Amino acid sequence: MSDGLNPLREARVAELLSDFRTLQFLIAAVPTSPSNPDDYYTEGWAALRQCALDGQHILNCAADISIPCASGPGPDEQAKAELKQVLLDAYARRHEGQKIYLRQGAAQRWVGWRENVMSGQGMEGVDGQLRAELANITDEAVYAELQANDINMGRWIDEDPSLREVQRWIRSRSQC
């Protein structure tokens, strides 16, 4: 017997894919090469290039196209199993995209700070600030932020995957 939640699952997947699409556009729009070639190997620009590569990687990772087993008979139960699988994929991609986007923001702030420190003195503090910001962009923090945003937006989150499921999905795609 169907639980009647497939329309909610479909809407949730659409929301997640829309969020991921927006994040991909934002990630792709950030420059990866400085105007001054001497800055190319600095920490912030290296982080921006890595973010661009990570954004492309998560976009290129294939979805799991195996057909999941339904927990009960009927097409609605099969649709439910497939939607849950797609929901995990979309949720994990959005999670990883948000993490990349936050890292880009930290690196872009670093670029601005670097431009303000023209004499080269004090760059250790600027580099340290970048490293501290990047260290604070954890899976736990991103997951909690996205979950809070979803709740504030009134989105249906009853079947969102756990952080552990998202991390498992990300690890399984690390070699795509």
Side-chain angles (χ1 to χ4, degrees):
M1 183 78 186
S2 173
D3 61 11
L5 297 175
N6 282 350
L8 292 172
R9 291 181 187 102
E10 290 168 356
R12 183 66 174 138
V13 167
E15 291 167 349
L16 293 168
L17 290 175
S18 176
D19 291 352
F20 177 66
R21 181 176 180 261
T22 299
L23 286 165
Q24 278 295 323
F25 281 127
L26 294 170
I27 291 166
V30 173
T32 57
S33 294
S35 54
N36 180 350
D38 292 338
D39 292 342
Y40 188 83
Y41 294 104
T42 57
E43 264 187 86
W45 285 103
L48 285 172
R49 285 190 300 283
Q50 186 60 53
C51 288
L53 290 171
D54 292 346
Q56 191 62 47
H57 172 79
I58 198 68
L59 186 62
N60 290 339
C61 280
D64 182 359
I65 58 170
S66 64
I67 299 173
C69 294
S71 60
D76 286 341
E77 287 299 316
Q78 185 60 43
K80 174 183 173 180
E82 291 172 12
L83 283 167
K84 284 184 165 191
Q85 180 174 301
V86 173
L87 183 106
L88 172 59
D89 184 271
Y91 195 97
R93 287 177 195 273
R94 180 186 72 155
H95 175 94
E96 195 65 9
Q98 180 70 16
K99 202 164 138 183
I100 293 165
Y101 178 70
L102 292 172
R103 289 188 353 242
Q104 269 186 331
Q108 286 178 300
R109 282 187 293 282
W110 176 91
V111 168
W113 296 330
R114 180 175 172 83
E115 289 171 0
N116 290 333
V117 181
M118 300 301 285
S119 68
Q121 294 177 341
M123 275 310 296
E124 297 81 20
V126 172
D127 288 345
Q129 179 65 30
L130 173 63
R131 286 189 290 275
E133 280 194 52
L134 293 175
N136 286 328
I137 302 170
T138 64
D139 283 332
E140 294 78 9
V142 171
Y143 186 88
E145 177 186 339
L146 289 172
Q147 188 176 52
N149 289 342
D150 287 339
I151 290 168
N152 288 337
M153 293 173 69
R155 292 178 167 181
W156 184 74
I157 62 166
D158 293 0
E159 292 185 358
D160 281 359
S162 68
L163 175 58
R164 178 175 299 236
E165 290 171 305
V166 170
Q167 289 172 322
R168 192 176 319 122
W169 184 95
I170 292 167
R171 278 192 308 274
S172 73
R173 301 309 188 279
S174 65
Q175 299 303 318
C176 291

